Amino acid sequence: MYKISELKELLKNKKLDDKFSAIYGGDKNSIEEAYLRLSSVLEHFQKIEKSDNVRIFSASGRTELSGNHTDHNNGYVLTASINLDKLALVSKREDNKIIVYTDGIDNPDSIDINNLEIDKKEFGKSTALIRGVCAGLINSGYKIGGFTASLNNKVLMGSGLSSSASFESLIGEILNALYNDDKIEKTEIALIGQFSENIYFGKPCGLMDQMGCSVGGIISIDFKNPKIPQIEKVEYDFEKSGYALTIVDAKGDHSSLTGEYAAIREEMNSIAKYFSKEVCRDITKEELISNASKIREKVGDRAIMRAYHFISENERVINQINALKNNDIKKYLNLMNESGLSSFMYLQNCFSITSSKNMGVALALTITKDFLNGDGACRVHGGGFAGTIQALIPLNRVEEYTKLMDSIFGDKSAIKIKIRQSPVCEV
């Protein structure tokens, strides 16, 4: 906890380097930017709150390294926290309200914690995520209470970096620190975040996003038992191997795509159900192909291809994890390109079927493939249809690539990102 006067002095004299380094590693640009961001948040906080005591929290976005749409069918994923985050100043409230301001906007998200009922009219709104996290904590036997938060957000909505999961993790960690003596494990915060997004926000997401935002670093996750996922840290530095991890926002609109996103899970589950299984994790490629004639009549062709993607992608994640452990960047790049091709051909989530004029993800992949000319890799990033791609670009060509993509998709469309080791935390 900091007194306002103390925090001002720490910011003025740049005395938070150790705190910020623990979050952003050795990324000097992120540390310098954090001083400016926190100063701005503090200025706003003093306009909205009279409290003299504040606490600082940070929740990162995440990048999906491998495992496109494998988590919701109990598969493997490879994900990582990144240096882009939500940085918040928080103070307790004595009433039962949670009020969250973002980027100084005067129209905050606000709920009364006495009302934790599901409201379908609230689907897709940040207030639903707050309410859902509170309900999830209560269901798990934890305490909740009121607070005011002012945050600066670098994990932009629709950027493919899981802004909603980052927000859920932030709310969960604030309530963990303020009312539960930091007793809640990061993995449980992630599970509660997924509950909030599925039940209160109305999005049938898997658990990868929340784990990536909550746990920190590069992690492999085995969702064979989704209630007790097996997590393993994977140490790797892409830049030491000569490549920069880059995200390109193709500026697509996600607002009307929830149905297409949900259809992937529904179709995979329909294949599993054909075999009297719950998820595609429980079937083999041989079973799928040998029964294809009967399945296509009952379920349809696209469902078969999506299940084929899952089975192949699940095996590919394991191979990519091993490639990183063995410091084999060339094998990793080949597998990453295979993942991108599988998502395009079989999963079919690189463009929406509703508009041939809005195919930004597919266009970004086309141009990136041409740019790389065999040296590097790219794939759709996250849920797909609209949004972002991920690319590994040779370090000596990052500036050239960034300029190219910005010239097509707009200023700051291409973002070089770094892996963050810190989990969601109080600073």
Side-chain angles (χ1 to χ4, degrees), residues 130-145:
I130 302 171
R131 206 180 306 276
V133 169
C134 288
L137 288 166
I138 291 292
N139 293 345
S140 298
Y142 296 111
K143 298 176 183 178
I144 61 173

Side-chain angles (χ1 to χ4, degrees), residues 384-397:
F385 300 109
T388 60
I389 71 164
Q390 181 191 89
L392 278 170
I393 306 296
L395 281 172
N396 62 353
R397 301 191 70 196

Side-chain angles (χ1 to χ4, degrees), residues 31 72 105 120 176 219 246 258 283 328 352 381 389:
I31 292 171
H72 53 63
I105 297 173
K120 290 187 177 180
N176 180 28
I219 56 172
T246 308
T258 299
I283 63 175
D328 190 345
S352 168
H381 184 250
I389 71 164

Side-chain angles (χ1 to χ4, degrees), residues 14-70:
K14 301 288 182 72
K15 295 294 186 180
L16 290 171
D17 280 15
D18 290 346
K19 298 280 189 180
F20 289 147
S21 292
I23 298 173
Y24 305 111
D27 187 351
K28 293 181 179 179
N29 290 334
S30 291
I31 292 171
E32 187 62 34
E33 187 178 49
Y35 278 106
L36 296 174
R37 294 169 63 202
L38 194 55
S39 296
S40 175
V41 170
L42 178 56
E43 183 179 343
H44 176 259
F45 189 87
Q46 289 187 281
K47 293 178 181 178
I48 60 171
E49 273 291 335
K50 295 180 180 179
S51 174
D52 190 43
N53 296 310
V54 293
R55 299 169 80 160
I56 309 169
F57 294 86
S58 169
S60 76
R62 73 94 184 100
T63 185
E64 173 197 285
L65 296 174
S66 183
N68 198 225
H69 283 278
T70 51

Side-chain angles (χ1 to χ4, degrees), residues 1 47 51 86 121 167 169 190 201 256 282 319 339 364 394 407:
M1 184 180 293
K47 293 178 181 178
S51 174
K86 298 181 191 293
K121 294 179 182 178
F167 187 73
S169 298
F201 192 73
S256 62
D282 298 327
N319 291 334
S339 174
S407 71

Side-chain angles (χ1 to χ4, degrees), residues 392-412:
L392 278 170
I393 306 296
L395 281 172
N396 62 353
R397 301 191 70 196
V398 172
E399 185 176 352
E400 179 188 359
Y401 178 71
T402 299
K403 287 181 179 178
L404 173 63
M405 303 311 279
D406 285 359
S407 71
I408 296 167
F409 297 103
D411 190 37
K412 296 182 180 180

